[in-house]
Amino acid sequence: MSNEEIPKDYDFKKEQEWEKKWEDENIYKYIGDGSRPRYVIDTPPPYPTGAIHLGHVLNWVYIDMNARYRRQKGFDVLFPQGWDCHGLPTEVKVEETYNIKKNDVSRAQFRQYCIDLTTKNIASMKADMKAMGYSQDWTREFVTMNPEYMRRTQYSFLKMYEDGLIYQGKHPVNWCPRCQTAIAFAEVEYSDNTTFLNYVNFPPAIEDSYGDIASSQESGKQADPKTEGILIATTRPELMSACVAVVIHPEDERYAHLLGKYVEVPLSHQKVKIIADEEVDPEFGTGAVMICTFGDKTDVSWVQKYGLEVIDVMDDAGMLTAAAGRYEGMDLQTCKKQTIEDLDSEGYLLKQEEVDQNVGQCWRCKTPVEILLKEQWFVAVSDLIEKTKTAADEMKWVPEHMKSRMVNWADSMEWDWCISRQRIFATPIPVWYCKDCGKVILPDAEDLPIDPTVDKPKHACECGCEEFIPEVDVLDTWMDSSISPLSIAGWPDEDYVNHFPSNIRPQGHDIIRTWAFYTTLRCLALTGQKPFDDIVINGMVFGEDGNKMSKSRPEFVVGPEEVIEQYGADSLRTWAANSVPGSDVIFDWKDIKHGYRFLRKFWNAFRFISMQIFDEEVAYEDVKDSLGPIDLWILSKLNNLNITVDKAFEDYNFAETITSIERFFWHDFCDEYIEAVKYRLYTDVSDESRKAAKYTLKTVVETSLKLLAPIAPFFTEEVYQYFSDESIHTTLWPEVHEELISEDMESKGETTVELIDEVRRFKSASKIPLNAELAEVNVYTSDDSLVEVFNEFGDDIRGTLKINDLTISQGKPEVHEKIIEVEPDMSQIGPTFKKDAGKIIGYLKSTDIEEIGAVLEENHELAVGDIVVPEDMLNIKKEIVGASGKKVDILQSENLDMIVEVIR
């Protein structure tokens, strides 16, 4: 293609054309026939929110660069895209959109609302992903709300149930009153706030006439609030009606005399025993703690440890029940406020202190989480903890320290994983209950997926009953996504082993304790194998102000579509690539602009040399003996760059890939090499030399394109079309030519470049055009090796700098200063010599400058008759002259042992 057909500027708006062409030609399709080694990516299935954000961009650029690199390395890459549809986010959005609660319409209608919203959001996010140039095989797309995926999730439930790893039981669970569902500990987020620590007196319980503790109902008496009992400091006075004991540290001497005695709970008046436990912190509050059912995890532990009563004072919506007495029907905040007022008015409240608090909240709606006793389904996590930790050790973690997050989480697991949810839009739990005997009835595997609220068992219960109660709870959404590597592999079909474990799991560090942990645990339970070999962790994206981008701060949120509109997707991808796995990333517009400038620099360089590299085909074999030293320098650096970038991609060191390519192409190639070979393209040099330069130019550009292709797919495709009709994304990684790698040649080349740059800086500072000729340049050095290098690269030094006469010599230049002009400093001569000033001026005008110069050089003063003029009263202008007597400019290198003498 001719140079005239190459546009002056790179048009990133053409990204849309390439996006469509790639899709039409299906160039990223996974073949799977075994003809090439397989590479399987366990792709994160995002919630279909309707738009991708910069966190998605960072995560998927990591994935896509890796996928493209592996294809270039000859792998058959399985890069699917999934969508984790189920769960609270979609239901909450539907409730907001239609101004309803989940039970205001039929289950079928509510589910359809969710499906419609999810389908719309998937389409929108899919378009965003394609605009970013991600190379998924969309024929392998998986959607967790579709029947095939639900079949796998339900089958995994049945298998783990049969193996005793899933069970049903009544246990305390984390509960979201807003969403009215159980949630797992991994789904509890924590936020800091300030509250009050309330110091409340629990008076001694009243004894009956026999010395026994009587209830207030039996005795008809209540303890006096003013009677000193035990002081409790609590942040949750609204739960006092659920108080079942008071606990102190066994070695706390302040309360040793009270152990085994009873106190009366203020307001609700139940009598509770004072017990001792080493878990109590004597330094916090008063050192005495009320055990409520349930205020926190420690309450649960104590209730189970000591067999204490459970008082249900709260319903599913977070409203107080009849067990709360006078506070029945109140919400928690109203109850808390009223309780504090009552404690104060009735004399129980002694004081309040402001205190910082870390509150657990629902990770989706941000409502504070409560702990309720509920009949739920659980995964027996404790049975798999050690295996999960062993599997973590068998994986390659990038960065390595992220492994500790999963191991520490596994070690902290005190409760089993609650997997049932009181929602609608999710995979149904495939269970019925016999109406007569209550036996759990399971479907046959071949009948999956089933909805027990719609479908019926095929057979009667063993007891003969043919009526069944459907399970209306659904599965935690992590039960879907935690089998993603198995689903991608085609499990439970027998040939899934060909694609399992996955080669890589890319994900954010914020879901290590959920997605990474649950996936590892579940795959071990179902297959006995770890789910993937490598796990690469990306960080979060922060705004230019240094804070995490958040919907709560919309003024600091930048959407990828905004960046693409102004600078194109590849500029955004270079920003993402220039980051380190595991580290959080600052979004800064200057980084986007830098990436954009680099691509334009590449385009301009390509366009400039295109008139030379496409006019004839030049093969390596034709020029290998004609390559000049500057060619060998850049080709050695190119092949070393190939090795560096190859290893960086292999190690997921993405920042090293883009910075290495930019540094080489922008500085070494554009700033140095192209300038150094222009004379060989446009002046009268040998045909062999010209062809060697053309070969080198083309090789550098074509190879650099292939190294850059995983990072900037649109740009590299646009440029590569001028080289071939084939897509660059179907080509293989460029070959390394070991014979062209020379440390010695690179060192010589860098030395030569230093000399060239020294003279170019001089030209620029002296306002001399870079393409202007220099009459003579003499380089002096005491280093024998420099003389050898500069002589070897002499043609390139002369040609690049437009030097007519270049000499390289040992030693130092013979130069001296010569006075070329002397003018009187009238500000000094006038006041000093007054009427004699005219004699001085006349002498300076009438006397030969060389004579004046000789006198000043010897005496540093002038004698005009009997008048003596000091040197410092004269404005003296000098120039440096060389051995030839010609004016010279002297350049002293800071980095090399050389002095450069320039004669213009």
Side-chain angles (χ1 to χ4, degrees):
M1 183 172 284
S2 68
N3 181 55
E4 286 73 25
E5 293 176 290
I6 300 176
K8 180 179 179 182
D9 295 314
Y10 170 61
D11 181 12
F12 65 81
K13 298 293 185 181
K14 291 187 70 176
E15 290 177 348
Q16 297 175 7
E17 296 178 18
W18 290 117
E19 173 195 325
K20 186 176 187 306
K21 183 175 176 61
W22 295 336
E23 186 173 7
D24 290 346
E25 296 180 359
N26 210 10
I27 66 171
Y28 305 123
K29 184 175 176 59
Y30 174 69
I31 306 303
D33 59 1
S35 59
R36 287 180 287 165
R38 297 183 175 99
Y39 188 87
V40 182
I41 301 174
D42 179 18
T43 322
Y47 282 113
T49 57
I52 66 172
H53 51 66
L54 288 180
H56 289 132
V57 167
L58 183 67
N59 188 196
W60 267 273
V61 167
Y62 280 12
I63 303 169
D64 189 59
M65 288 189 298
N66 184 48
R68 291 180 180 278
Y69 164 72
R70 303 293 172 176
R71 291 192 194 97
Q72 286 182 274
K73 295 297 287 186
F75 287 92
D76 187 11
V77 176
L78 175 53
F79 178 11
Q81 182 57 54
W83 305 99
D84 190 9
C85 310
H86 293 138
L88 295 179
T90 302
E91 292 200 15
V92 170
K93 187 64 177 178
V94 164
E95 289 175 332
E96 291 174 356
T97 301
Y98 293 94
N99 193 27
I100 58 173
K101 294 294 183 184
K102 62 177 181 178
N103 296 323
D104 291 347
V105 295
S106 69
R107 291 175 67 92
Q109 181 62 70
F110 189 82
R111 180 173 177 81
Q112 190 58 51
Y113 285 151
C114 293
I115 291 173
D116 292 344
L117 174 63
T118 302
T119 302
K120 175 184 174 183
N121 287 348
I122 286 175
S124 178
M125 293 179 72
K126 192 171 177 179
D128 290 346
M129 288 183 168
K130 291 180 179 179
M132 280 299 303
Y134 301 145
S135 59
Q136 294 99 326
D137 177 358
W138 289 103
T139 67
R140 295 275 179 159
E141 186 176 16
F142 63 92
V143 184
T144 60
M145 68 179 181
N146 286 355
E148 179 57 28
Y149 200 99
M150 291 173 68
R151 178 182 74 86
R152 291 190 172 107
T153 300
Q154 289 187 337
Y155 180 75
S156 71
F157 176 94
L158 296 183
K159 192 171 187 306
M160 290 179 69
Y161 179 81
E162 291 166 358
D163 292 341
L165 293 172
I166 287 179
Y167 66 93
Q168 189 179 38
K170 190 171 186 178
H171 300 290
V173 296
N174 292 303
W175 186 269
C176 174
R178 157 63 180 82
C179 301
Q180 294 188 33
T181 183
I183 61 175
F185 263 113
E187 297 171 312
V188 178
E189 291 182 346
Y190 290 89
S191 64
D192 296 328
N193 72 344
T194 301
T195 188
F196 284 101
L197 195 58
N198 302 278
Y199 288 78
V200 181
N201 180 44
F202 280 48
I206 295 175
E207 299 180 358
D208 62 17
S209 57
Y210 300 102
D212 296 326
I213 298 301
S215 68
S216 57
Q217 289 83 4
E218 292 172 337
S219 66
K221 298 178 182 180
Q222 295 177 355
D224 184 353
K226 303 297 185 182
T227 303
E228 183 179 350
I230 193 165
L231 193 62
I232 303 291
T234 178
T235 59
R236 301 212 63 183
E238 70 274 17
L239 294 182
M240 286 198 301
S241 54
C243 179
V244 293
V246 169
V247 61
I248 60 173
H249 193 278
E251 297 178 5
D252 193 335
E253 295 180 356
R254 295 173 296 174
Y255 305 121
H257 64 288
L258 295 177
L259 273 177
K261 297 186 180 298
Y262 286 80
V263 289
E264 183 175 296
V265 179
L267 306 180
S268 52
H269 307 298
Q270 70 267 32
K271 309 320 186 215
V272 297
K273 191 176 183 179
I274 299 174
I275 61 177
D277 194 281
E278 292 182 350
E279 291 295 315
V280 176
D281 179 5
E283 302 300 322
F284 181 77
T286 65
V289 181
M290 65 174 184
I291 301 175
C292 298
T293 53
F294 295 99
D296 57 26
K297 286 173 64 176
T298 311
D299 284 341
V300 175
S301 174
W302 282 330
V303 167
Q304 293 174 341
K305 184 175 182 179
Y306 297 108
L308 301 174
E309 177 189 5
V310 174
I311 302 175
D312 294 320
V313 295
M314 190 190 315
D315 67 13
D316 293 355
M319 308 298 287
L320 278 298
T321 66
R326 67 176 91 172
Y327 305 107
E328 181 181 2
M330 291 185 183
D331 62 66
L332 288 166
Q333 287 304 312
T334 302
C335 177
K336 184 171 191 173
K337 180 180 178 182
Q338 187 61 52
T339 300
I340 292 173
E341 290 178 3
D342 292 346
L343 288 169
D344 187 27
S345 65
E346 297 184 25
Y348 293 102
L349 183 64
L350 274 65
K351 65 174 181 176
Q352 288 183 308
E353 287 179 356
E354 202 169 73
V355 64
D356 292 331
Q357 189 180 38
N358 195 234
V359 178
Q361 58 187 22
C362 174
W363 74 320
R364 285 305 172 187
C365 71
K366 311 308 178 187
T367 301
V369 169
E370 301 296 340
I371 298 178
L372 300 183
L373 190 66
K374 290 288 182 180
E375 182 89 11
Q376 300 288 328
W377 287 91
F378 297 88
V379 168
V381 170
S382 56
D383 294 353
L384 297 164
I385 286 294
E386 290 306 316
K387 291 181 180 179
T388 300
K389 290 162 60 179
T390 299
D393 286 334
E394 294 172 353
M395 302 169 194
K396 175 183 177 181
W397 288 75
V398 181
E400 171 68 22
H401 67 83
M402 284 293 174
K403 178 175 68 175
S404 63
R405 294 199 181 189
M406 190 164 108
V407 173
N408 292 342
W409 176 253
D411 284 335
S412 72
M413 294 293 289
E414 299 175 9
W415 294 5
D416 283 338
W417 174 18
C418 177
I419 59 170
S420 48
R421 298 291 182 265
Q422 292 63 55
R423 303 301 297 179
I424 295 173
F425 185 53
T427 299
I429 296 176
V431 164
W432 299 272
Y433 306 95
C434 174
K435 188 174 182 180
D436 285 352
C437 70
K439 177 181 170 59
V440 170
I441 308 297
L442 303 175
D444 294 334
E446 59 268 23
D447 294 330
L448 300 177
I450 62 107
D451 181 349
T453 66
V454 176
D455 302 310
K456 304 297 180 186
K458 292 164 57 175
H459 309 288
C461 178
E462 291 177 355
C463 71
C465 178
E466 296 185 355
E467 292 188 61
F468 304 95
I469 300 170
E471 173 61 83
V472 295
D473 286 355
V474 293
L475 289 170
D476 175 10
T477 187
W478 295 108
M479 284 289 285
D480 289 330
S481 58
S482 62
I483 60 165
S484 59
L486 288 170
S487 178
I488 289 167
W491 179 89
D493 296 346
E494 289 184 1
D495 63 353
Y496 87 91
V497 294
N498 295 324
H499 301 87
F500 184 85
S502 297
N503 295 86
I504 186 172
R505 153 66 67 83
Q507 65 164 75
H509 63 59
D510 58 324
I511 51 174
I512 289 175
R513 68 180 191 176
T514 47
W515 196 35
F517 176 76
Y518 290 148
T519 303
T520 305
L521 181 144
R522 293 254 281 141
C523 288
L524 286 169
L526 294 167
T527 70
Q529 288 183 272
K530 64 181 180 181
F532 29 78
D533 298 324
D534 297 355
I535 177 166
V536 178
I537 306 297
N538 65 275
M540 301 294 103
V541 176
F542 287 72
E544 291 177 289
D545 64 339
N547 293 305
K548 184 178 177 181
M549 288 192 179
S550 168
K551 292 180 181 178
S552 62
R553 302 164 57 254
E555 67 273 19
F556 295 105
V557 174
V558 177
E561 69 284 348
E562 183 180 349
V563 182
I564 292 173
E565 177 63 30
Q566 295 185 55
Y567 297 102
D570 280 340
S571 298
L572 183 53
R573 289 174 64 108
T574 60
W575 159 80
N578 195 16
S579 60
V580 178
S583 298
D584 293 331
V585 183
I586 298 288
F587 175 83
D588 195 323
W589 280 103
K590 75 174 186 294
D591 297 327
I592 302 296
K593 294 172 184 176
H594 174 81
Y596 179 65
R597 286 196 300 271
F598 169 64
L599 296 179
R600 291 189 65 185
K601 180 77 173 180
F602 199 126
W603 179 267
N604 292 336
F606 158 68
R607 185 173 182 274
F608 170 75
I609 66 175
S610 61
M611 63 186 73
Q612 299 293 334
I613 64 176
F614 292 126
D615 58 352
E616 59 181 318
E617 286 292 327
V618 182
Y620 174 63
E621 292 299 321
D622 299 332
V623 299
K624 65 179 182 178
D625 296 327
S626 305
L627 293 170
I630 203 73
D631 303 327
L632 294 172
W633 167 70
I634 198 70
L635 289 171
S636 179
K637 290 185 75 73
L638 176 70
N639 282 278
N640 269 325
L641 173 73
N642 189 339
I643 294 171
T644 297
V645 175
D646 191 7
K647 186 176 188 307
F649 271 126
E650 179 71 32
D651 295 340
Y652 314 108
N653 187 357
F654 302 121
E656 178 71 11
T657 66
I658 184 63
T659 54
S660 298
I661 294 169
E662 283 188 7
R663 187 167 53 243
F664 167 82
F665 196 88
W666 199 321
H667 174 65
D668 296 326
F669 183 62
C670 293
D671 293 346
E672 306 298 349
Y673 181 77
I674 290 179
E675 294 300 322
V677 298
K678 282 181 179 177
Y679 81 97
R680 292 163 63 188
L681 301 174
Y682 299 116
T683 60
D684 188 17
V685 297
S686 69
D687 193 48
E688 290 79 6
S689 177
R690 190 179 353 269
K691 285 184 175 180
K694 288 183 176 184
Y695 165 81
T696 304
L697 287 167
K698 184 176 181 181
T699 299
V700 171
V701 172
E702 189 170 6
T703 302
S704 297
L705 280 172
K706 291 180 179 179
L707 302 184
L708 184 62
I711 302 170
F714 295 111
F715 175 82
T716 53
E717 187 77 297
E718 178 70 21
V719 177
Y720 194 71
Q721 68 167 319
Y722 298 101
F723 289 83
S724 172
D725 293 332
E726 181 185 9
S727 169
I728 194 171
H729 304 300
T730 60
T731 64
L732 293 177
W733 192 258
E735 181 184 353
V736 173
H737 294 278
E738 297 284 352
E739 73 275 12
L740 288 173
I741 297 177
S742 168
E743 183 179 344
D744 180 57
M745 188 56 69
E746 287 194 38
S747 177
K748 290 178 180 180
E750 296 302 321
T751 300
T752 301
V753 165
E754 177 66 27
L755 169 59
I756 292 172
D757 285 349
E758 191 74 52
V759 179
R760 291 178 70 190
R761 284 192 292 269
F762 159 74
K763 277 187 167 185
S764 179
S766 304
K767 304 291 192 294
I768 301 172
L770 293 180
N771 60 356
E773 292 186 355
L774 296 174
E776 187 177 336
V777 172
N778 303 305
V779 181
Y780 297 88
T781 177
S782 59
D783 187 338
D784 293 346
S785 64
L786 285 185
V787 174
E788 182 182 335
V789 170
F790 293 151
N791 280 324
E792 182 178 355
F793 283 77
D795 289 343
D796 294 313
I797 296 170
R798 270 187 291 270
T800 304
L801 296 172
K802 306 291 190 295
I803 299 171
N804 292 330
D805 187 5
L806 172 69
T807 59
I808 314 296
S809 305
Q810 282 189 316
K812 295 181 179 180
E814 297 179 14
V815 296
H816 66 276
E817 287 188 321
K818 176 182 179 182
I819 295 175
I820 61 172
E821 184 179 291
V822 179
E823 294 287 343
D825 183 353
M826 295 307 297
S827 66
Q828 297 188 70
I829 289 179
T832 302
F833 297 102
K834 298 184 172 85
K835 63 181 181 179
D836 291 332
K839 295 178 183 180
I840 298 170
I841 295 170
Y843 172 80
L844 293 174
K845 286 184 177 180
S846 62
T847 306
D848 184 76
I849 189 64
E850 290 190 4
E851 180 183 336
I852 295 173
V855 173
L856 286 173
E857 289 286 344
E858 182 177 353
N859 302 320
H860 301 291
E861 63 183 17
L862 291 178
V864 183
D866 57 354
I867 303 169
V868 178
V869 184
E871 188 177 52
D872 59 7
M873 288 188 178
L874 301 171
N875 293 323
I876 301 171
K877 186 176 181 181
K878 301 179 181 181
E879 68 180 14
I880 299 174
V881 295
S884 65
K886 297 177 183 178
K887 174 188 175 182
V888 298
D889 292 285
I890 297 296
L891 315 181
Q892 181 75 55
S893 173
E894 293 183 2
N895 302 316
L896 297 177
D897 174 18
M898 70 175 184
I899 297 174
V900 182
E901 183 183 81
V902 179
I903 301 174
R904 307 189 193 188

